[in-house]
C-alpha cells in the first residue's frame, strides 16, 4: 500500500483529492496537512512512513517550495507530486531542481491526476520489484513518465518547432538573443517564441533576462545554459 500525505490549504480541494486518491487501487491517504509547517511535523515523525506527498505551493505559514527545501535539506527523499496553481516557469524550474515526480497545474483534469498516480505506482513496481533492473525496462519507463522529454512538451507546442528553436539556440552558444531576433530568424511570432522559450527556461536549458526600457513593456532575451 502506497502511503500518501496530502498538503492543501483549501478544505474542499483537500476532500476532493483525498477521496480521489482513496479510490485508486494501492493508495492510502495516511496524513493530511493544511500548510508546510504541519506537513514538516508529519514528515519528521518517524512513525509516519510517508511514500508520496501531494503538494500545493501557495499555502500560509510555509509554502510548498519552502517545505520541500527544508525536507531535502534534512536528507528526506520522499516522492512528490505537485498539484498547484503556480504556473510561473521559474517556480516550476525550482520545484524540479528540488526533486519531483510530477507537476500538475490547477485546474487539472482528474484523468491527468489518475495518470500521475498510475505512473507513480508503475515507478514503484519497476524499482522495488527487485534489486536490479535492465536498461530496456528503465528506458521504457522513463519515456512513459509525465516529466520525460516527450511529455514535458506541453500542449500547443510541437516537437519539430522545439527542435528548430533548440538548434538555433545551440548555434548561438554564448550570445544573448532577444525575443525579436528569435522571431525573425525562425519566422515565428513573438508570442510563439516566448511560449517555447518559457518551456526551455523551465527545463533549465536557457536562462531568461528581462530588460526594462523607458517606455512600453519590458523585453526578453535568452542565453543558453551550459
Amino acid at each position: 500500500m502506497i502511503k500518501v500525505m496530502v498538503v492543501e490549504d483549501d478544505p474542499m480541494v483537500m476532500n476532493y483529492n483525498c477521496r480521489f486518491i482513496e479510490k485508486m487501487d494501492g493508495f492510502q491517504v495516511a496524513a493530511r496537512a493544511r500548510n508546510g509547517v504541519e506537513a514538516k511535523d508529519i514528515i519528521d515523525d518517524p512513525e509516519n512512513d510517508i511514500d508520496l506527498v501531494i503538494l500545493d505551493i501557495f499555502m500560509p505559514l510555509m509554502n510548498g517550495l519552502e517545505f520541500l527545501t527544508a525536507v531535502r535539506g534534512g536528507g528526506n527523499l520522499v516522492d512528490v507530486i505537485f498539484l498547484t496553481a503556480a504556473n510561473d516557469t521559474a517556480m516550476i524550474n525550482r520545484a524540479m531542481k528540488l526533486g519531483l515526480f510530477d507537476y500538475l497545474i490547477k485546474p487539472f483534469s482528474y484523468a491527468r491526476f489518475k495518470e500521475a498516480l498510475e505512473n507513480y505506482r508503475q515507478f514503484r513496481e519497476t524499482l522495488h520489484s527487485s534489486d536490479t533492473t535492465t536498461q530496456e525496462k528503465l528506458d521504457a519507463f522513463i519515456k512513459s513518465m509525465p516529466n520525460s522529454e516527450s511529455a514535458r512538451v506541453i500542449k500547443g507546442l510541437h516537437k519539430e518547432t522545439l527542435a528548430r528553436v533548440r538548434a538555433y539556440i545551440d548555434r548561438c552558444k554564448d550570445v544573448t538573443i532577444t525575443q525579436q531576433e528569435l522571431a525573425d530568424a525562425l519566422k515565428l511570432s513573438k508570442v510563439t517564441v516566448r511560449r517555447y522559450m518559457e518551456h526551455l527556461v523551465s527545463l533549465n536549458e536557457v536562462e531568461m533576462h528581462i530588460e526594462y526600457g523607458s517606455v512600453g513593456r519590458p523585453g526578453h532575451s535568452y542565453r543558453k545554459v551550459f
Side-chain angles (χ1 to χ4, degrees):
M1 187 66 69
I2 296 170
K3 295 183 179 180
V4 182
M5 175 169 67
V6 181
V7 189
E8 169 64 58
D9 66 319
D10 186 317
M12 184 173 69
V13 175
M14 169 76 82
N15 288 333
Y16 280 145
N17 290 345
C18 288
R19 287 204 302 267
F20 186 84
I21 293 166
E22 291 283 8
K23 290 179 181 178
M24 296 285 294
D25 290 338
F27 288 86
Q28 171 193 357
V29 177
R32 302 184 183 198
R34 295 169 295 179
N35 55 64
V37 173
E38 291 184 3
K40 184 71 165 50
D41 288 341
I42 292 169
I43 210 80
D44 286 345
D45 187 338
E47 294 186 3
N48 296 319
D49 187 17
I50 304 297
D51 301 305
L52 174 66
V53 177
I54 304 297
L55 185 61
D56 193 7
I57 287 183
F58 298 129
M59 297 181 295
L61 301 182
M62 177 188 285
N63 68 38
L65 289 178
E66 291 169 339
F67 159 77
L68 190 54
T69 299
V71 166
R72 295 297 189 240
N76 192 312
L77 300 179
V78 66
D79 295 312
V80 173
I81 294 176
F82 278 95
L83 305 184
T84 177
N87 61 1
D88 180 84
T89 53
M91 193 170 292
I92 295 170
N93 186 31
R94 183 181 169 193
M96 293 180 71
K97 287 181 177 179
L98 288 170
L100 58 88
F101 183 81
D102 206 345
Y103 193 108
L104 279 66
I105 298 174
K106 298 177 181 177
F108 53 85
S109 71
Y110 275 85
R112 179 64 178 83
F113 190 15
K114 181 180 180 181
E115 177 189 6
L117 293 174
E118 288 178 340
N119 281 327
Y120 180 72
R121 182 171 53 204
Q122 181 185 349
F123 160 76
R124 298 263 304 181
E125 291 172 354
T126 299
L127 296 188
H128 292 213
S129 58
S130 65
D131 292 335
T132 61
T133 188
T134 66
Q135 185 68 57
E136 290 75 15
K137 288 181 180 179
L138 188 59
D139 288 345
F141 174 73
I142 289 173
K143 290 177 181 177
S144 71
M145 286 178 64
N147 59 351
S148 68
E149 173 57 28
S150 59
R152 284 199 303 254
V153 181
I154 60 176
K155 185 177 180 181
L157 303 188
H158 301 282
K159 291 182 180 180
E160 295 79 8
T161 304
L162 181 60
R164 286 178 55 212
V165 173
R166 274 190 171 128
Y168 187 81
I169 292 292
D170 287 342
R171 289 198 300 271
C172 293
K173 293 187 178 179
D174 295 331
V175 178
T176 298
I177 315 160
T178 68
Q179 194 173 83
Q180 186 62 61
E181 288 170 339
L182 281 165
D184 292 342
L186 298 169
K187 294 182 170 50
L188 300 171
S189 71
K190 289 177 67 175
V191 172
T192 299
V193 165
R194 182 169 181 177
R195 287 170 55 223
Y196 280 90
M197 296 310 294
E198 284 179 346
H199 177 65
L200 293 179
V201 169
S202 75
L203 301 181
N204 201 35
E205 294 183 24
V206 171
E207 59 185 14
M208 180 180 72
H209 303 277
I210 301 177
E211 301 168 350
Y212 296 93
S214 57
V215 294
R217 294 182 177 181
H220 296 79
S221 61
Y222 306 93
R223 188 184 186 92
K224 184 174 176 62
V225 174
F226 293 96

